[in-house]
Amino acid sequence: MNNLRQKVQELASEAINNSEPTAWFEVLYASANGDTAQIPWAKLTPHPYLQDWLENHEISTQGKKALVIGCGLGDDAEALAKLGFAVTAFDISPTAIAWCQQRFPDSSVNYQVADLLAIPQQWNEAFDFVFECRNIQALPLSVRTSVISSVASVVSPDGTLLVITRVRDTEDEPSGPPWPLSAAELAQLENLGLQKIEEMLFLESQETEVQQMRIVYRRNGK
């Protein structure tokens, strides 16, 4: 695992030095050659804190559209589709999207290659439920304001944004990747018209003291 973490950090550093902070995702997925063990965040199951939230909330899905940001290998998108959402899921990595389509050949999910830093215009305020899990933290602070703005932009009036991310308790720049989010960075989502309605702090695993948060936001209707 340490070797994999080192590989990720080297790929990310090289991409940042080349002013292409998102380029390393495709390199990682392509170099995995179909081996999910080479993708550190691929658990081949929906994120447990997404699943927990979905199971413990009354959610209306009929006629509702959901978006999964940086969908990876597709398990979170499939969980939302199973509930009845019309799901769009995107990743910047063409290899990851092809992998999703191979894993779920009969899926109703619309898997697309797209860039979080260049969101398609037709997605603006287009989704009733948006899931952002650890993508913001995977990108350096130099593009963080743009990334947060992109995430907020896709949430429809009366829509819900569910964020799962590592957090840090200082505004100092952390070493990464990942680069956990600060309180001021998270506050940008509220400055962009989203109201925080729920948050929960948890540890990433029993073996680590790394803090994560699950935060739910709602955009007020127009």
Side-chain angles (χ1 to χ4, degrees), residues 110-189:
N110 176 17
Y111 287 107
Q112 294 193 29
V113 178
D115 185 351
L116 185 53
L117 291 170
I119 288 286
Q121 193 170 356
Q122 64 267 30
W123 290 359
N124 188 55
E125 295 191 2
F127 295 94
D128 305 287
F129 184 87
V130 178
F131 183 49
E132 151 48 26
C133 183
R134 302 188 298 187
N135 291 285
I136 302 172
Q137 71 177 40
L139 295 167
L141 271 59
S142 60
V143 296
R144 183 141 295 177
T145 297
S146 298
V147 173
I148 290 171
S149 179
S150 287
V151 169
S153 74
V154 295
V155 184
S156 71
D158 291 322
T160 298
L161 168 67
L162 194 156
V163 174
I164 293 175
T165 184
R166 286 186 180 190
V167 291
R168 68 185 198 272
D169 54 11
T170 171
E171 293 302 324
D172 296 338
E173 181 163 351
S175 60
W179 296 270
L181 276 73
S182 70
E185 289 165 350
L186 286 167
Q188 291 176 37
L189 287 165

Side-chain angles (χ1 to χ4, degrees), residues 26 29-30 71-74 91-101 111:
E26 169 60 12
Y29 280 107
C71 64
L73 298 186
D91 204 284
I92 195 166
S93 165
T95 299
I97 293 301
W99 207 332
C100 291
Q101 292 165 335
Y111 287 107

Side-chain angles (χ1 to χ4, degrees), residues 74-85:
D75 295 280
D76 298 320
E78 295 298 323
L80 292 172
K82 195 185 242 182
L83 281 180
F85 281 110

